[in-house]
Amino acid sequence: MTDLGGTSDVVTFAGDWEGPVVATSVHAGHGLRPEIAEAMVLDEATRLREEDPFTDRIAAVVTDRAVTSRSRFEADLNRPRREAVYRRPEDCWGLDVWHGGTLSRELFEGSLATYDAFYDALAPRLDALAERGPFVLLDVHSYNHRRDGADADPAPAEDNPEVNVGTASVDRQTFGPLVERFLADIRAGAPGCGPVDARENVSFQGRALAWFVHDRYPGVGCVLALEFKKTWMDEWTAEVDEERLSCLRTALAGTLPGLHEELERLR
């Protein structure tokens, strides 16, 4: 892994970033800077459940990727900057996170610095990709589907696909065929694993990272925001189903040749 920007405390970059397909897993991190950890009352198990543990392992099928280590409870890199730091329970699913019920202004500003460091490091790499032509960023996340408890029934599958592909801000005129190719390829699944239920914009449509790319590189950058339902792990214990995770990794890897072909057509 190569740290190309001197920001290893917030983000490192794997690969040479020659493009044109890169990946992020911005909610995979679990770390906190010491002063944030000291101010936090939220128990670690609940925090881990609301993060996206192990999504960096899914994103790792892409050679060129950003690797982040900080928890979304320090700075949520997929929210707009004005919403990126959870200060009160209403900012984060009603959870009581901080001593005294709210985060201090000083700690808030420090967390905004974490947010800014990520985007300041990412932007020049994406700028270089955009100069060479169209590119795709696979923005890998996960989501809970058993919120009623460890022993409760999962949320209905009809409203919760195994992979939700967020494309709401994608330029469909330019990238429509690429999106359709990606959906067809990931739905095919992996050998011996069966098909994957992948659908667009059912529960998630893509947020700040997608907006950043699409605003900064119109007609050039395409973000596919991928929410993997936690069928490959127990969201209450964080135990990983290695077989299912391998199937999903292989299915995602199987989309890469098609993405490269579609990007080459756009060039």
Side-chain angles (χ1 to χ4, degrees):
M1 186 175 297
T2 303
D3 176 17
L4 300 177
T7 56
S8 59
D9 60 332
V10 175
V11 57
T12 55
F13 296 90
D16 58 18
W17 279 66
E18 292 297 321
V21 179
V22 299
T24 56
S25 50
V26 297
H27 289 158
H30 189 63
L32 299 167
R33 65 186 196 278
E35 58 268 34
I36 284 288
E38 185 177 349
M40 186 173 288
V41 296
L42 183 69
D43 67 274
E44 189 167 4
T46 302
R47 177 162 67 89
L48 185 65
R49 189 161 59 249
E50 297 299 346
E51 295 162 344
D52 293 350
F54 314 115
T55 50
D56 53 336
R57 293 180 59 187
I58 300 175
V61 303
V62 180
T63 301
D64 299 330
R65 62 194 186 278
V67 182
T68 50
S69 61
R70 301 292 182 87
S71 171
R72 68 188 303 171
F73 286 89
E74 178 172 330
D76 191 329
L77 303 176
N78 200 37
R79 288 192 182 184
R81 189 177 188 273
R82 65 183 180 277
E83 303 172 14
V85 181
Y86 310 153
R87 299 192 71 183
R88 296 168 295 274
E90 52 266 34
D91 297 334
C92 52
W93 312 284
L95 295 173
D96 185 13
V97 179
W98 310 112
H99 288 290
T102 189
L103 185 66
S104 73
R105 184 71 188 181
E106 180 181 3
L107 293 180
F108 171 74
E109 294 291 346
S111 292
L112 284 181
T114 297
Y115 183 91
D116 292 341
F118 170 75
Y119 280 95
D120 288 347
L122 181 65
R125 287 156 184 81
L126 296 182
D127 289 347
L129 289 185
E131 288 177 1
R132 293 191 287 271
F135 68 89
V136 167
L137 188 154
L138 299 177
D139 179 28
V140 180
H141 299 267
S142 64
Y143 76 99
N144 296 324
H145 66 123
R146 296 166 55 209
R147 286 197 172 275
D148 292 336
D151 299 320
D153 291 334
E158 57 266 28
D159 299 321
N160 296 270
E162 186 159 31
V163 182
N164 184 104
V165 183
T167 61
S169 60
V170 169
D171 175 357
R172 294 304 288 250
Q173 184 172 353
T174 302
F175 293 108
L178 182 149
V179 172
E180 294 304 321
R181 175 72 178 273
F182 176 85
L183 285 165
D185 287 347
I186 198 166
R187 285 168 178 162
C193 297
V196 172
D197 175 20
R199 286 174 271 156
E200 280 188 83
N201 303 322
V202 177
S203 304
F204 307 93
Q205 299 184 345
R207 287 208 76 193
L209 183 53
W211 300 342
F212 172 81
V213 171
H214 295 151
D215 287 346
R216 189 177 179 97
Y217 315 104
V220 177
C222 175
V223 175
L224 302 179
L226 309 179
E227 293 274 357
F228 286 81
K229 183 167 65 173
K230 291 180 181 175
T231 56
W232 47 276
M233 65 174 289
D234 186 324
E235 65 194 53
W236 288 91
T237 67
E239 181 179 355
V240 175
D241 178 343
E242 294 290 349
E243 183 177 356
R244 189 59 192 163
L245 178 60
S246 178
C247 285
L248 291 171
R249 280 173 43 86
T250 302
L252 183 60
T255 69
L256 301 182
L259 290 177
H260 282 271
E261 288 179 13
E262 295 299 329
L263 288 168
E264 188 59 34
R265 290 192 182 99
L266 290 171
R267 291 171 189 271

